[in-house]
Amino acid sequence: MQKIKNLAYLLALSLLLNSCGEYQKVLNKGSVEEKYKMAVKMYETKKFSKALRLFEKITPAYRGKPQMERIQFMVAQANFNVKNYTTAGYYFDRFTKNYPSSSKNEEAAFLSAYSYKLASPVSSKDPTDTRKALEAFQMFINNYPDSDKVEEANENYKELRYKLQKKYFDIAKVYYTTADYDMRNYKAAIQAFDNLLSDYLGSEFKEEALYYRLKAAHDFVLKSTERRRPERIKDAIEAYDKLVRNYPESQFLEDANEMLATLQKEEVRVAALMAKVKEIEKGKVLNNN
């Protein structure tokens, strides 16, 4: 029994070595046609990395030829299978543009978007692939409204949209929480929250963004010089009105009302101060005359 096992092992090892030797021979010295056949063989036996090395060598020779459609799809799929998702997304997208009439066009369009989604990092990282995935899923939904993949595409789109919103909300919040150390960050926070609210209407973060927009504006008033306060008080009160108008029963209402009361007191105080300054200036003018 042990002898049979040993023979089987040796046979398998021999086949493997022969296969590896054949692959290396074709890779280094084979003709274009031999490399193409070997690439397809490696692809079909799920040896995708080896297939990609061969496809890379033969692609220039097959440009403009009928085989190129198949090659380009296999290159995209092989990259997907070895988890080169950004590269796969790029090649699937190229396939849809180069072969718009292909029977695999719909599949490639979905896989392009899905590849970019899988490449999309956590919300704190560079959002380039997230944006590409969003655009690709939106294009797929528009181009294939009757596809059985539309529901999945919509779910992926929502997930990615949430991720991107969270990134921009977190950035705006960081500006706010660091403004004690750098007053310029109050302005940056206000602008960042405004951008989020205008770019993502109906955002899942809308209520919280409106609240922190108010907080940033309120705190900015209290850190401002007397000369700057009137315009900033007006902006902060408008932020309060926007929060309450959109969320009359907001979970932040109690805190928002306290901020409004502070702003209104400041508004009265600053108005009285400005009136007094004007009186003093007027008196100086009269005295000079």
Side-chain angles (χ1 to χ4, degrees):
M1 189 68 180
Q2 187 61 41
K3 285 183 179 180
I4 294 173
K5 285 183 178 180
N6 290 340
L7 284 171
Y9 173 77
L10 289 171
L11 179 61
L13 181 61
S14 175
L15 289 171
L16 178 62
L17 291 172
N18 184 58
S19 173
C20 290
E22 182 188 1
Y23 170 80
Q24 285 299 137
K25 182 180 176 182
V26 171
L27 177 68
N28 296 323
K29 297 180 179 179
S31 67
V32 171
E33 187 178 351
E34 287 171 335
K35 287 175 183 174
Y36 173 74
K37 289 179 179 178
M38 179 61 74
V40 172
K41 179 181 176 182
M42 293 295 105
Y43 178 87
E44 289 177 345
T45 55
K46 304 186 185 304
K47 296 171 183 175
F48 300 112
S49 294
K50 287 185 175 182
L52 285 169
R53 290 181 67 191
L54 286 160
F55 282 133
E56 186 179 349
K57 285 181 174 288
I58 64 173
T59 293
Y62 280 100
R63 283 200 179 100
K65 295 182 178 179
Q67 295 94 328
M68 194 60 201
E69 179 179 342
R70 188 184 182 198
I71 289 171
Q72 195 163 335
F73 189 88
M74 286 190 289
V75 166
Q77 187 69 62
N79 274 290
F80 181 88
N81 289 336
V82 296
K83 301 184 180 181
N84 293 335
Y85 294 125
T86 299
T87 304
Y90 169 76
Y91 278 113
F92 278 125
D93 181 54
R94 274 186 61 186
F95 182 89
T96 64
K97 291 177 171 63
N98 291 340
Y99 305 101
S101 301
S102 171
S103 60
K104 286 188 171 290
N105 196 273
E106 180 181 332
E107 182 183 359
F110 181 85
L111 285 171
S112 175
Y114 192 61
S115 296
Y116 283 128
K117 187 219 171 186
L118 292 176
S120 173
V122 294
S123 63
S124 60
K125 303 293 184 181
D126 178 15
T128 300
D129 285 322
T130 305
R131 290 199 191 97
K132 286 180 179 178
L134 276 167
E135 291 171 8
F137 275 122
Q138 187 62 69
M139 191 174 294
F140 177 83
I141 293 162
N142 292 343
N143 291 340
Y144 301 99
D146 299 322
S147 171
D148 58 3
K149 289 281 189 181
V150 164
E151 186 177 347
E152 186 178 348
N154 275 315
E155 288 302 316
N156 282 308
Y157 184 89
K158 288 176 186 176
E159 182 183 331
L160 290 160
R161 189 173 183 271
Y162 179 88
K163 181 189 286 190
L164 213 50
Q165 290 175 64
K166 186 177 187 308
K167 178 181 180 64
Y168 294 130
F169 176 81
D170 289 344
I171 289 171
K173 200 169 175 182
V174 167
Y175 279 131
Y176 169 70
T177 55
T178 57
D180 277 343
Y181 309 102
D182 186 346
M183 271 192 62
R184 292 173 298 180
N185 284 353
Y186 283 121
K187 273 189 175 181
I190 289 167
Q191 187 62 57
F193 283 122
D194 283 344
N195 290 343
L196 171 65
L197 291 163
S198 63
D199 290 345
Y200 296 96
L201 301 176
S203 167
E204 291 91 335
F205 295 92
K206 185 174 181 179
E207 182 181 358
E208 201 170 353
L210 287 169
Y211 169 69
Y212 276 102
R213 167 64 168 85
L214 167 60
K215 277 179 74 70
H218 166 271
D219 294 0
F220 197 25
V221 167
L222 300 182
K223 296 288 181 68
S224 298
T225 60
E226 299 292 351
R227 184 172 64 86
R228 294 285 191 183
R229 288 196 181 195
E231 61 182 290
R232 290 173 182 170
I233 289 170
K234 181 182 177 184
D235 176 69
I237 291 175
E238 286 175 357
Y240 168 86
D241 289 340
K242 193 170 183 179
L243 170 64
V244 174
R245 186 168 63 251
N246 282 275
Y247 299 97
E249 297 181 5
S250 172
Q251 59 180 311
F252 306 113
L253 191 59
E254 185 177 347
D255 193 21
N257 285 336
E258 289 177 8
M259 285 189 278
L260 177 65
T262 300
L263 292 166
Q264 288 172 334
K265 286 178 184 177
E266 273 299 296
E267 189 174 35
V268 171
R269 185 190 69 77
V270 171
L273 180 63
M274 292 297 109
K276 190 172 182 179
V277 168
K278 283 182 181 179
E279 282 182 20
I280 292 171
E281 290 176 346
K282 186 178 180 181
K284 286 181 180 179
V285 170
L286 292 173
N287 288 335
N288 289 335
N289 290 337

